[in-house]
Structure formats: C-alpha cells, structure tokens
Amino acid sequence: MADTMPSTGTGAARGVDAAAHALDERLGTTGFARKALRKAFPDHWSFLVGEIAMYSFVVILLTGVYLTLFFKPSMNEVTYHGSYTQLQGVRMSEAYASALKISFDVRGGLLVRQLHHWATLIFLASILVHTLRHFFTGSFRKPRELNWIIGVVMLILAMLNGLFGYSLPDDLLSGTGIRILEGVTAAIPVVGTYLVMFLFGGEFPGNDIIPRLYVIHVLLIPGLLAALVPLHAVVLTWRQTHTQFPGKGSSNTTVRGYPFFPVFIGKTTSLFLWVLGVTALMAAFIQINPIWLFGPYDPGAISSGSQPDWYMGWLEGALRIMPAWEVTAWGHTVTLSVVVPALVVPGVLFTGLALYPFLERWVTGDRQIHHLLDRPRDVPARTGIGMAGVVFFGGLWAAGGNDVIADRFDVPLFWTTWFFRALVILGPVLAYAVTYRICVGLQHRDLALVEHGLETGVIRRSPEGRYSEVERRLPAERTAAITDPRPAPAVPLDVPPETGGVESPRARSRTARMRAALNRRFRADLAVVPDTAPDAPAIGDGGAHEDGGAHGEGAGSAAARASR
C-alpha cells in the first residue's frame, strides 16, 4: 500500500500525523476515534452521578497510593513516642502507630488521609444514587442487564473495601468493627469457626488480620474495581446506545445530545475538578475519623455511641434490632440473631437487586430493546417497589444509631428498638402504597396539563352569564415527555378463559396464574399516551399569551401534534 502521509507542515504536525497513521495501520484507531468524538451524550444532570463515582474512585486511588508509602500493616506491639502527647508511652500495634504518624508527623498526611476517607464516602453515596436512578428509570432493561449486574457487584465490592479500609488503623472503633466481623463469621453454620481460624490465623484478634485486610484493601478489591469500572462506564456504555428521557425529540432509535468532543469532554473535565475541589475542601475543614481520640484497640474496652461509616450502618442496625433467637438441632446451635441480619438480609437484598431485571421481565413479558427511559411516575408499581426498598434500607440504617437516638431524646432503648422493628416491616408496605398513589396523581396532573393547559387565575364571563377560567396551552416541547410515543413497559399476560367448558392449560399452572396476577398488578396504572389533539393550537410560553378556551371546552390531547 502506498504511503499517503503529507509532506508539508511543521515538524511537530508531521510527527503527530505519522504517529496517528502508524497506529491506524496497526490498530485501526481512526474509525473508532472518529466515531467516539461524534458520540452523542444526553444533557441531563442525573447522568453525571455515575461520573462523580468514577472521579471519586480516581481520588481514592491517588490518595491510597500516597498512604501506602507510610502505613505499616503490622500487629507487632510498639511503644508510641510520636508527636501526639496524649498517647506517649502507650503500647499499641505498628498499624495504629503508623496511622498516628501519618496524621501528625507526615507532611500533608492528615489532609490526604481525610481526603481518602471523604472520597470513599462520596464514592459509595454516588454509586447508591446512581443505582437508584437506573432502577427508577428502568435503564436496567434489555440490552443493559449485564451492566446492571456489574454495577451491583461494584456496589458490594465498594462496601466491603470501605469496611476493610477503616478497619486497618487498629484503633478502638475499627477494632470493634473487626470484632463484629469475627462474630458474624463465627455464626455461619458448620464452617464458621474454621473460617475464623483461617481469616484471623488463630484466636481473635491474632496477628494476621490487619496484614490480610491490607492486601485485600489495596490490591485485590481495587484491582477488581479497576477492571470493572472501565467495563461498566466505558466499554458497555460506548458499545450501546445511550439511554435518555422521553421528550424534546428523543426516541427509542435516536439519541438527542451533545458530542463527546468538545462539549462533553469539557463538562466532564470540569466535573472532575469540582469533585476534587469539594472533596479537598471537606478534607481540610471537616474532621472525620479522629483515631487519636479513640486510642488503640483493646478487646476489653467498650465504647458507647460507636458507629460505622454510613454505608455499613444498615448492617449494624439489622444486628441491633434482631431478636435474640437461636435454633438447636442435631447438636448444632444456629444463632439466628446474627445469621439472619448479617447473612440472610444482605443476601436477599443484593441477590434480589441483581436479579430484578430478569424478575421484572418475567412479570411484564417485555422483551423489547429499551433506549428510552421511563419517568418514575409512569410505572407506579416499579417506583413503589423502589421506595419500599429505600425505606427498608433507611430504617435499618437509622436503627444502627438506636442507642444515640435513645440518649439524645431521653427515651428507653427498647422503645427505639421496637420502633425500628415495626418500621422495617410496616414501613416498606406503607411506602409502596403512598408512592403508588403519588405516581397516579402525577399522571392525572400530566393529562390535565396536556388537555387543558395551565390555570391562569383569570375568570371570564360569557354573554350567557356563565363563568369559566382562562387556561394557557402548553407548547409541544413542554408536553413531549407525556405525549410522545414510547415502547410499552409491559405486555398483557392474562390467562386465557375457558373454551367450551375446557380450562386452558395455562390456567392449571400456579406459576402461570401467579405471573398473570403480577402482570395485571404491574399494568394496572401504567401511564397512557394521549391520542387526540386539542382543538385550539398550542402557543408559546410567554406570560401574556392566553388561550381563549375555557376549562373543559374543546380540550383534548396534544399527542397527534407532538408526534408530527
């Protein structure tokens, strides 16, 4: 093949062109780069939450590398002679002594340590919000089931790594967390004691737990996350079409947005600087995890009001409100008060979260490809389930501080315990019912806006003496999210009726009848796209413009006009 490289231009330009040409010949990068630079990104603030998680992860990696230069993951006892006078001469582990050294003797050590901690909290918070956004908008549906599962796995890994990370300093608070970890592991039926001996290298606390958690925290889980983050955020996202909200010209086959370069790259770079700047300000001015106040871990010491980081508070709450139940059979005692909250509840929660796309597809019978998102109000059943999960999670999280609540409000501890027991059982049911009704009410409001427009507060009197309110029609751009066509989130799966007195084979199966019942419940109040156009034409948003029609006169839907 003849060389087609240009022979004019500066030396630097020729060098860049030559390098690009060489890469294209070997890797075929030109076509990918051209497509990548033109890829459209929808312009909606909720799409940036995932990027906040990604950039927080970058901050975590950078600060973590710095901290590893000074931290010593060792349980060997030493006598402290550092700058913090309150602990002078105290025996402690090398891990705790090195954490104190980072905080008081390493230049910028405390700032980096707090930056690492705050970035972790922001990382997990943004992952959780990102997950909720995907759930409520239905973006987990075909063809994104794999990306959803990867996201759930990343959430689990991030929670575990956060737990292992704040366990490393070996202070009294983190040591209490490790003690709880040991108790939960020991409660696993049959193999629990063996796992404890394997993990701790002997009786608690042993000398191996901190070095082993250190290896997991800085190598194993970060390596897994470093592999999953690009797969989740770049590879699959770039391979698939971006999801987008309905309206303003969006459809299931087109993407309305701005190109990756230069618009999106400018926005995302600015967002990274904002994330870094806000996290740095929090690290500089908001103290977090002051380990020097807690002292070294002592198995015989008890501290009241101790709380884990917020993302593990729900497990703490589950352990606190579970009744002290035990089951003894065949010479083995199963401690349900530990097994249920620490193993069963997380297992059911995360397994249900990972399998939900497939469960919903089974219920709805929907096998279409969805690039257009649902507004949460348009699918009340799914939104109600999501809010029920939020209330369940939030109730367990709040229960993790039941002792602090009892102390601050001067109420008996058992009152708070029983309150949270009732909350995690009845709260999700109430949340589902209330959320469902709110979604239906918002749908009715949307239909009223399309059919009648906005109320102006202006009352007119007709020559016949009849009074009516003047309403202002909304333009098609404002109602497009309500009136534009979109793929249905569910299809009817009703059991066929009897034919000639003969029952349908599908009606004989309990599974088919249950599926049909769940399908009817899911479809009961799905949003319906209006299909008739109003008599009067739509006008602009100007406050002085009004539609001469009154409420209920010639009012209809704007679907036909919006879809043209």
Side-chain angles (χ1 to χ4, degrees):
M1 182 180 294
D3 191 352
T4 58
M5 292 299 296
S7 58
T8 59
T10 64
R14 286 196 300 271
V16 171
D17 289 342
H21 184 71
L23 288 174
D24 185 51
E25 285 183 324
R26 291 158 178 80
L27 304 176
T29 55
T30 301
F32 172 79
R34 186 182 299 111
K35 181 180 178 181
L37 294 177
R38 293 166 52 195
K39 186 174 179 65
F41 282 78
D43 188 34
H44 193 275
W45 66 268
S46 65
F47 291 90
L48 300 178
V49 179
E51 294 178 41
I52 294 176
M54 183 172 63
Y55 294 141
S56 299
F57 182 62
V58 172
V59 176
I60 292 170
L61 291 179
L62 295 176
T63 54
V65 169
Y66 183 82
L67 294 175
T68 57
L69 300 176
F70 306 99
F71 182 72
K72 296 181 180 179
S74 171
M75 296 290 285
N76 295 330
E77 280 199 351
V78 297
T79 302
Y80 180 71
H81 296 293
S83 301
Y84 189 64
T85 57
Q86 299 296 321
L87 292 176
Q88 289 279 357
V90 175
R91 298 284 295 175
M92 61 184 65
S93 66
E94 278 192 292
Y96 186 56
S98 64
L100 292 175
K101 180 181 178 180
I102 291 173
S103 301
F104 294 106
D105 300 314
V106 174
R107 186 178 297 275
L110 181 58
L111 176 65
V112 175
R113 211 186 112 243
Q114 297 205 148
L115 187 62
H116 187 75
H117 204 129
W118 276 118
T120 302
L121 299 186
I122 296 174
F123 177 55
L124 279 153
S126 53
I127 288 180
L128 193 59
V129 175
H130 184 62
T131 303
L132 291 176
R133 200 273 292 181
H134 281 289
F135 182 89
F136 285 120
T137 59
S139 66
F140 52 78
R141 293 172 295 181
K142 184 179 179 181
R144 296 175 180 83
E145 302 95 335
L146 177 60
N147 224 17
W148 170 263
I149 293 176
I150 292 175
V152 174
V153 172
M154 289 171 59
L155 175 60
I156 298 172
L157 290 176
M159 284 185 171
L160 287 176
N161 212 35
L163 168 65
F164 297 155
Y166 75 68
S167 299
L168 291 178
D170 197 36
D171 59 281
L172 184 57
L173 180 62
S174 65
T176 303
I178 294 178
R179 182 62 169 175
I180 295 174
L181 175 65
E182 184 266 345
V184 170
T185 307
I188 299 176
V190 182
V191 298
T193 54
Y194 298 99
L195 290 176
V196 169
M197 298 296 288
F198 173 77
L199 182 62
F200 288 84
E203 295 291 337
F204 178 86
N207 293 321
D208 296 334
I209 185 62
I210 294 298
R212 290 175 177 177
L213 291 182
Y214 179 77
V215 171
I216 296 173
H217 179 72
V218 304
L219 290 178
L220 179 60
I221 295 183
L224 293 174
L225 288 174
L228 292 176
V229 167
L231 179 63
H232 177 77
V234 179
V235 177
L236 291 178
T237 302
W238 283 74
R239 173 64 183 86
Q240 299 165 351
T241 302
H242 265 292
T243 56
Q244 57 188 336
F245 286 97
K248 297 182 179 179
S250 301
S251 72
N252 203 46
T253 57
T254 60
V255 178
R256 183 183 179 91
Y258 295 100
F260 175 75
F261 183 84
V263 179
F264 180 78
I265 193 66
K267 283 186 176 182
T268 193
T269 303
S270 175
L271 181 63
F272 170 69
L273 296 176
W274 271 102
V275 171
L276 178 61
V278 170
T279 309
L281 286 174
M282 295 173 68
F285 295 105
I286 306 177
Q287 178 176 274
I288 189 170
N289 197 26
I291 57 172
W292 53 89
L293 299 180
F294 306 145
Y297 177 65
D298 178 3
I302 300 175
S303 58
S304 62
S306 59
Q307 306 291 318
D309 279 341
W310 72 266
Y311 51 87
M312 297 303 297
W314 64 287
L315 275 178
E316 174 83 5
L319 287 166
R320 292 190 181 198
I321 66 176
M322 180 68 189
W325 293 346
E326 291 182 351
V327 174
T328 301
W330 299 290
H332 294 278
T333 299
V334 179
T335 310
L336 296 180
S337 58
V338 178
V339 172
V340 172
L343 299 176
V344 176
V345 171
V348 171
L349 181 63
F350 286 113
T351 301
L353 200 61
L355 296 181
Y356 183 83
F358 309 98
L359 295 174
E360 181 175 301
R361 185 170 64 188
W362 180 76
V363 169
T364 62
D366 174 33
R367 297 185 178 275
Q368 297 186 77
I369 290 179
H370 291 270
H371 300 309
L372 207 58
L373 300 173
D374 292 327
R375 297 186 308 162
R377 69 185 66 179
D378 291 344
V379 189
R382 182 200 298 144
T383 305
I385 292 172
M387 286 308 302
V390 169
V391 170
F392 179 74
F393 183 92
L396 291 179
W397 172 79
N402 65 337
D403 57 339
V404 177
I405 295 173
D407 177 67
R408 293 294 184 268
F409 292 92
D410 195 23
V411 296
L413 178 64
F414 289 106
W415 287 14
T416 62
T417 301
W418 278 101
F419 170 79
F420 286 116
R421 287 174 179 173
L423 179 63
V424 297
I425 296 174
L426 301 179
V429 179
L430 181 62
Y432 177 87
V434 172
T435 302
Y436 195 97
R437 298 316 307 169
I438 290 175
C439 290
V440 173
L442 291 174
Q443 288 182 31
H444 291 167
R445 177 181 176 273
D446 288 343
L447 291 177
L449 287 175
V450 172
E451 293 176 355
H452 308 299
L454 289 173
E455 299 176 354
T456 64
V458 178
I459 305 299
R460 286 182 178 175
R461 181 180 180 183
S462 68
E464 296 80 14
R466 184 177 58 179
Y467 291 94
S468 58
E469 182 178 11
V470 176
E471 293 168 333
R472 188 173 70 239
R473 296 286 182 197
L474 293 176
E477 298 79 34
R478 294 280 301 276
T479 60
I482 307 169
T483 59
D484 281 4
R486 69 209 66 171
V491 298
L493 295 175
D494 295 326
V495 175
E498 294 184 1
T499 303
V502 179
E503 188 180 44
S504 168
R506 288 177 56 190
R508 301 170 194 165
S509 170
R510 288 186 179 180
T511 303
R513 291 199 301 270
M514 181 180 67
R515 184 186 185 190
L518 292 174
N519 180 266
R520 286 193 298 271
R521 178 68 268 174
F522 194 92
R523 293 186 294 109
D525 290 293
L526 293 176
V528 178
V529 177
D531 56 1
T532 57
D535 295 339
I539 62 173
D541 291 308
H545 297 287
E546 296 175 355
D547 181 8
H551 180 81
E553 297 180 6
S557 164
R561 170 174 47 78
S563 63
R564 293 194 185 106

